[in-house]
Amino acid sequence: MTQPSGRYNLMELMVCVASRQLEDGRTAVIGTGMPLAAAMLAQKTTAPHLVVMFEAGSAAPELVKLPISVADSYTLTRAILHSSMDEIMESCQRGMVDYTFLGGAQIDMYGNLNTTMIGTDYEQPKVRLPGSGGANDLASFCWKTLVITPHDKRRFVERLDFLTTPGYLTGPGAREQAGLPPGGGPYKVITTLALMGYDPLTKRMIVESLHPGVTKQDVIDNTGFEMLFVDPLPVTREPTEEELRILREEVDPEGVIIGK
């Protein structure tokens, strides 16, 4: 695997790729870090009418500066709603939220996530992780779940040590059998190696494009399960000069997310 072009780094590439997944006029519950940078970039480029919502209770603020958390005062600037987590989660339950971004210590081929523990003994795990927070609710009731994560075998596993957040569970029809709304579920996974989606028939993760300099073997070597690939397999579109300018000058001028 070669390094990205000298024009940009991996963080910038991932943020740009993530921003392109968000459609104009849609709603999205956004967490901090790369998802927030991606949402801000989308608003300033291809999705000016994207409605950003925060778990702490804000909806549709004017994001004049990159917030450092979902409860940062910058998530409230000229927002149409200053409320609580109850209002945001109720909006998800009512089917009003299109996108959410999540992460996790482990993800499997069906997009299920583990943010609870590493190990086989719940009472005495090797590592105790932060837990679900609102992730289970968001993945259950938002229509499309996106994940941004590094790509290695420790994260992309055949079997989760603990199922915290549902993806497609065990495959086609499993979400609906569990009582979750039909039509929702995992949507995209943006990693340091590739952009993945999900096969509509099997619900398994499938590589939709390889990042510049990445080979198919790189993905195979860094994935703990059999990954599917589209054919032909394209290369991820690189960030444009305008995307990079906005990202560096307007979204994250201090380099908190993308680095300096």
Side-chain angles (χ1 to χ4, degrees):
M1 181 179 71
T2 60
Q3 294 300 311
S5 162
R7 293 194 306 113
Y8 57 86
N9 61 35
L10 265 178
M11 291 292 188
E12 291 172 328
L13 174 62
M14 292 169 71
V15 169
C16 289
V17 172
S19 75
R20 298 169 190 161
Q21 313 310 312
L22 300 170
E23 298 174 283
D24 195 23
R26 301 293 186 174
T27 52
V29 173
I30 301 294
T32 50
M34 280 194 286
L36 183 49
M40 290 181 67
L41 179 60
Q43 284 186 327
K44 295 174 182 293
T45 54
T46 58
H49 303 105
L50 177 71
V51 176
V52 174
M53 305 168 72
F54 292 95
E55 193 175 337
S58 170
E62 184 178 328
L63 295 172
V64 297
K65 185 175 180 179
L66 186 70
I68 61 172
S69 78
V70 296
D72 189 316
S73 60
Y74 283 111
T75 67
L76 300 171
T77 306
R78 290 186 282 278
I80 63 171
L81 177 68
H82 294 188
S83 186
S84 68
M85 183 184 295
D86 293 346
E87 294 281 353
I88 302 302
M89 291 304 183
E90 183 183 356
S91 296
C92 298
Q93 292 167 0
R94 295 167 77 180
M96 298 171 63
V97 180
D98 297 299
Y99 298 104
T100 188
F101 275 96
L102 299 177
Q106 293 178 329
I107 184 170
D108 69 12
M109 69 177 70
Y110 295 114
N112 302 303
L113 294 167
N114 172 22
T115 55
T116 299
M117 56 171 271
I118 300 298
T120 57
D121 186 345
Y122 182 81
E123 297 301 327
Q124 294 183 316
K126 293 180 181 178
V127 179
R128 179 73 70 186
L129 300 170
S132 171
N136 186 298
D137 304 75
L138 294 172
S140 295
F141 297 115
C142 297
W143 293 110
K144 296 179 178 179
T145 300
L146 299 97
V147 172
I148 303 182
T149 182
H151 200 135
D152 58 63
K153 280 190 173 180
R154 293 181 306 165
R155 295 174 185 271
F156 285 74
V157 296
E158 183 76 33
R159 183 180 177 86
L160 302 180
D161 288 355
F162 189 96
L163 174 57
T164 310
T165 302
Y168 286 114
L169 296 174
T170 57
R175 281 179 65 91
E176 292 77 10
Q177 290 173 11
L180 298 178
Y187 178 51
K188 303 290 183 184
V189 182
I190 302 100
T191 76
T192 46
L193 298 180
L195 168 66
M196 275 78 71
Y198 291 86
D199 180 74
L201 296 179
T202 66
K203 304 301 183 184
R204 285 179 52 185
M205 196 180 298
I206 184 168
V207 175
E208 296 181 340
S209 70
L210 296 173
H211 296 338
V214 175
T215 68
K216 186 175 179 179
Q217 193 61 46
D218 290 329
V219 174
I220 293 171
D221 291 344
N222 286 278
T223 304
F225 53 83
E226 183 185 0
M227 182 73 81
L228 304 180
F229 296 85
V230 300
D231 185 21
L233 183 58
V235 175
T236 304
R237 182 162 57 91
E238 296 185 75
T240 66
E241 292 298 332
E242 182 65 3
E243 284 176 321
L244 291 174
R245 184 195 67 77
I246 293 172
L247 183 56
R248 294 166 180 171
E249 297 179 9
E250 300 180 27
V251 175
D252 190 17
E254 297 177 2
V256 175
I257 305 301
I258 62 175
K260 297 183 179 180

